[in-house]
Amino acid sequence: MAVGIEEVLLPEEQLSGRAFTDEDRELLRSYGGLIEGLADLFGKHCEVVLHSLENLHESVIQIANGFNTGRTLGAPITDLALRMLKDIESTGQDHTQSYFARSRTGALMKSSTIAIRNRNKQVIGLICINLHINAPFHEFVAEFFPTPQQVERQSPETFANSVEELVAQTVDNTIDEINRDPSVANNAKNRFIVTQLFEKGIFDIKDSINLVADKLNISKHTVYLYIRQRKQGEEESE
């Protein structure tokens, strides 16, 4: 698609929606967190829009950073979004290739459109991601670097290829954390490690208790004991 195609709103008489079920509406609502998450990840110069195809007169049911195009909740679908919908339905794909367009204000946007299908494989909604690439470069880049406050709060994330590797790496990281804490006595370290692993949710993984027991060279009954003590502490504090 050529650079510079303008995205415009269509007259109401050209718009017609699709029949929806309650399940369709609930499915679209479930994407709310994704809309906000994408906008938060890419920053204020990225507009993320959730369109419902039930009512094209008011298709925008959620929008983040709408100031980039001047749209708000209840705005109608655009001609370009309808064109992307036709492309998606004709090709059977669930998304379009990224493309360039201009907003009504003349801002150049790099965009992508993603289809939301119901259980019958019918397209019931669209997620449109519009990146404002005319934004000041320093503002755009700043969104991808942590603030001093975020640096202080950051924690390592374990990217593993198997459950065993995930548990092993998490245990190793937790051991390092406990060993760096001078307030933890040597004879209490295993209990503190198990407690930390419990708080990190590692025991929600199947067979993790056996893996942790082997890693710490203690019995699984000891691991269960430490977990029970941790849970009892929660109950007593309630």
Side-chain angles (χ1 to χ4, degrees), residues 9-10 12 15 51 55-60 71-72 74-78:
L9 304 180
L10 291 173
E12 290 193 1
L15 303 178
H51 288 284
N55 180 1
L56 302 186
H57 300 279
E58 300 177 348
S59 70
V60 176
R71 288 182 293 179
T72 58
I77 201 164
T78 65

Side-chain angles (χ1 to χ4, degrees), residues 20-32 124:
F20 267 39
T21 65
D22 289 340
E23 184 180 275
D24 292 337
R25 298 184 189 96
E26 185 61 31
L27 177 60
L28 287 181
R29 283 193 292 269
S30 72
Y31 281 84
I124 60 171

Side-chain angles (χ1 to χ4, degrees), residues 47-62:
E47 178 191 72
V48 188
V49 187
L50 177 60
H51 288 284
S52 167
L53 301 183
E54 181 177 20
N55 180 1
L56 302 186
H57 300 279
E58 300 177 348
S59 70
V60 176
I61 60 173
Q62 186 162 350

Side-chain angles (χ1 to χ4, degrees), residues 158-184:
T158 301
F159 297 95
N161 293 315
S162 67
V163 169
E164 292 80 6
E165 183 182 349
L166 170 63
V167 174
Q169 290 185 14
T170 305
V171 172
D172 287 340
N173 291 338
T174 306
I175 289 173
D176 289 340
E177 293 171 10
I178 298 301
N179 284 337
R180 289 197 302 269
D181 187 346
S183 66
V184 180

Side-chain angles (χ1 to χ4, degrees), residues 6-155:
E6 185 177 1
E7 187 169 14
V8 298
L9 304 180
L10 291 173
E12 290 193 1
E13 61 269 17
Q14 295 185 25
L15 303 178
S16 59
R18 305 183 177 194
F20 267 39
T21 65
D22 289 340
E23 184 180 275
D24 292 337
R25 298 184 189 96
E26 185 61 31
L27 177 60
L28 287 181
R29 283 193 292 269
S30 72
Y31 281 84
L34 176 63
I35 301 303
E36 297 299 328
L38 287 172
D40 182 64
L41 175 64
F42 290 109
K44 65 183 180 181
H45 296 298
C46 179
E47 178 191 72
V48 188
V49 187
L50 177 60
H51 288 284
S52 167
L53 301 183
E54 181 177 20
N55 180 1
L56 302 186
H57 300 279
E58 300 177 348
S59 70
V60 176
I61 60 173
Q62 186 162 350
I63 185 168
N65 299 331
F67 59 85
N68 285 286
T69 59
R71 288 182 293 179
T72 58
L73 287 176
I77 201 164
T78 65
D79 62 330
L80 192 52
L82 285 176
R83 202 179 315 168
M84 295 301 105
L85 173 61
K86 293 294 185 185
D87 288 345
I88 286 170
E89 291 185 322
S90 64
T91 61
Q93 299 294 316
D94 288 329
H95 65 90
T96 64
Q97 290 185 332
S98 59
Y99 52 92
F100 293 89
R102 290 191 182 275
S103 69
R104 288 178 296 169
T105 62
L108 184 61
M109 319 286 286
K110 184 174 184 180
S111 305
S112 182
T113 300
I114 303 166
I116 300 174
R117 298 181 185 271
N118 61 15
R119 66 167 62 201
N120 297 319
K121 306 302 181 184
Q122 297 169 324
V123 180
I124 60 171
L126 299 172
I127 296 174
C128 295
I129 304 170
N130 303 308
L131 200 59
H132 183 186
I133 58 178
N134 280 154
F137 183 73
H138 69 280
E139 291 185 10
F140 186 83
V141 172
E143 297 285 350
F144 294 91
F145 289 89
T147 64
Q149 294 79 12
Q150 290 171 326
V151 170
E152 292 178 1
R153 295 196 305 267
Q154 70 182 1
S155 58

